Amino acid sequence: QLDADPDRSVAFYSQDMNQGMQDRMRIESGLRQALGNGELILYYQPKFEIGTDRLVGAEALVRWLDPARGIVPPGEFIPLAESTGLIVQVGEWVLEQACAQAALWQRAGLPPFRLAVNVSAREFTASLPARVAATLARYRLDASWLELEITESTLMHDFGRVTAIMDDIHRLGVALSLDDFGTGYSSLSYLKRFPIDTLKIDRSFTTGIPGDPSDCAIAGTIVSMAQQLGLRVIAEGVETVEQLSFLRESGCDEVQGYLYSKPLPADDFERSLRENWLLVA
Ligand code: C2E
Ligand code: MG
Ligand code: MG
Ligand code: MG
């Protein structure tokens, strides 16, 4: 129903705008403070190899522990941080914290696994490889412990520039995976041009397995394409044994999802790791 009075609808519209802008500004200044106050925290979700059930990696996922609101999921502040540029500081903190944690695990003598950090397009700049190298060196963390997850939106920027950054990261021995694969808009030709190690099938496709024929077809196609390109492939958001069997049949290498574990705080993750996940033959 359209409002017949143009003045009134304009008034309503700008009121909404103000509300939206106020919300954004409140969250932004809150997030800025959260960074300074140590209110950000990383959770860790394990990744398993399908054939062996071996733990092969983990993903670091940020949360905001707001004293007033409790645990705020990244979906409620990462998009805003991306649009304001604050994601750069958030990302610096995440990389630092993830490497510090991985170094503790490395020194505790745990068998090595890759800890993946999500990197937004705005963080993927020419200074990133040097910062990654410096952080690894500072914590004396072996590069084989680290992986960066990027999305297709990162690849859509200047090709030469992005390739150079990826090559530099690869030369350090840090792995690269393509997150939320299949949801972006870029062409598939980049898959043969960029040094990518792993494709991550987006949760939106995993969810439809095995009931939705389209999701099954898409997931199956991503797996076989990855195989033919010599890439590893992981499905995110695996919640049921039916999804797991379908992915196993398809030849998918790895899985991540609530079927195995939700993202956990570091100490819970380490406890499960020692008590359950390291015992698998
Ligand atoms: P993502 O990188 O695709 O991470 C996977 C998301 O799926 C996580 O949500 C994870 O908790 C969730 N998930 C995993 N398995 C399951 C499952 O079986 N069922 C369901 N329902 N969900 C599952 P989360 O932690 O809320 O993170 C959401 C997104 O926020 C991430 O998606 C990523 O894009 C972004 N994000 C999180 N941490 C960071 C960060 O440190 N930096 C940046 N730039 N982005 C981050
Ligand atoms: Mg991710
Ligand atoms: Mg993902
Ligand atoms: Mg996703």
Side-chain angles (χ1 to χ4, degrees), residues 59 118 149 179 200:
E59 178 171 9
N118 291 282
E149 294 190 5
D179 206 352
K200 290 195 82 173

Side-chain angles (χ1 to χ4, degrees), residues 47 59-61 116-118 149-150 179-180 200 236 256:
K47 302 177 180 179
E59 178 171 9
L61 295 155
V117 168
N118 291 282
E149 294 190 5
I150 60 175
D179 206 352
D180 305 336
K200 290 195 82 173
E236 65 176 19
Q256 172 184 356

Side-chain angles (χ1 to χ4, degrees), residues 173-253:
V174 173
L176 282 166
S177 55
L178 201 48
D179 206 352
D180 305 336
F181 185 71
T183 62
Y185 297 98
S186 51
S187 95
L188 288 174
S189 64
Y190 63 74
L191 286 178
K192 66 173 187 190
R193 303 182 305 181
F194 290 120
I196 292 161
D197 305 281
T198 305
L199 299 183
K200 290 195 82 173
I201 299 173
D202 190 63
R203 182 160 66 86
S204 61
F205 304 121
T206 309
T207 306
I209 299 170
D212 184 321
S214 310
D215 287 341
C216 290
I218 292 168
T221 303
I222 294 175
V223 170
S224 61
M225 184 175 65
Q227 286 174 336
Q228 289 169 55
L229 291 169
L231 304 173
R232 283 187 77 79
V233 57
I234 179 170
E236 65 176 19
V238 176
E239 296 186 351
T240 69
V241 289
E242 289 78 15
Q243 290 166 348
L244 178 62
S245 336
F246 178 91
L247 291 161
R248 181 186 290 116
E249 294 302 306
S250 308
C252 187
D253 300 300

Side-chain angles (χ1 to χ4, degrees), residues 42 45 59-63 73-75 78 82 87 90-91 94 117-120 123 149 151 179-180 200 202-203 236-239 256-259 261 263:
L42 290 185
Q45 187 179 33
E59 178 171 9
L61 295 155
V62 71
R63 275 96 182 86
I78 290 288
E82 285 174 339
I87 191 65
V90 171
V94 169
V117 168
N118 291 282
V119 175
S120 297
E123 305 174 62
E149 294 190 5
T151 60
D179 206 352
D180 305 336
K200 290 195 82 173
D202 190 63
R203 182 160 66 86
E236 65 176 19
V238 176
E239 296 186 351
Q256 172 184 356
Y258 292 177
L259 178 63
S261 173

Side-chain angles (χ1 to χ4, degrees), residues 57-209:
E59 178 171 9
L61 295 155
V62 71
R63 275 96 182 86
W64 174 3
L65 269 179
D66 188 325
R69 289 184 292 166
I71 298 180
V72 184
E76 286 178 30
F77 63 91
I78 290 288
L80 181 90
E82 285 174 339
S83 67
T84 60
L86 206 53
I87 191 65
V88 173
Q89 282 99 298
V90 171
E92 283 174 6
W93 180 86
V94 169
L95 179 68
E96 186 83 21
Q97 182 63 29
C99 288
Q101 182 60 66
L104 288 176
W105 286 329
Q106 177 182 253
R107 265 187 269 305
L110 291 176
F113 58 89
R114 278 198 191 274
L115 184 56
V117 168
N118 291 282
V119 175
S120 297
R122 281 181 82 152
E123 305 174 62
F124 210 76
T125 60
S127 62
L128 181 65
R131 189 156 57 78
V132 169
T135 311
L136 290 172
R138 187 148 9 95
Y139 292 101
R140 286 177 290 131
L141 177 66
D142 198 287
S144 64
W145 275 81
L146 187 64
E147 173 174 346
L148 303 184
E149 294 190 5
I150 60 175
T151 60
E152 287 166 79
S153 57
T154 298
L155 306 181
M156 286 164 70
H157 295 90
D158 174 30
F159 171 71
R161 207 187 111 254
V162 170
T163 313
I165 300 170
M166 292 178 95
D167 284 338
D168 286 349
I169 288 168
H170 236 221
R171 259 193 294 275
L172 297 173
V174 173
L176 282 166
S177 55
L178 201 48
D179 206 352
D180 305 336
F181 185 71
T183 62
Y185 297 98
S186 51
S187 95
L188 288 174
S189 64
Y190 63 74
L191 286 178
K192 66 173 187 190
R193 303 182 305 181
F194 290 120
I196 292 161
D197 305 281
T198 305
L199 299 183
K200 290 195 82 173
I201 299 173
D202 190 63
R203 182 160 66 86
S204 61
F205 304 121
T206 309
T207 306
I209 299 170

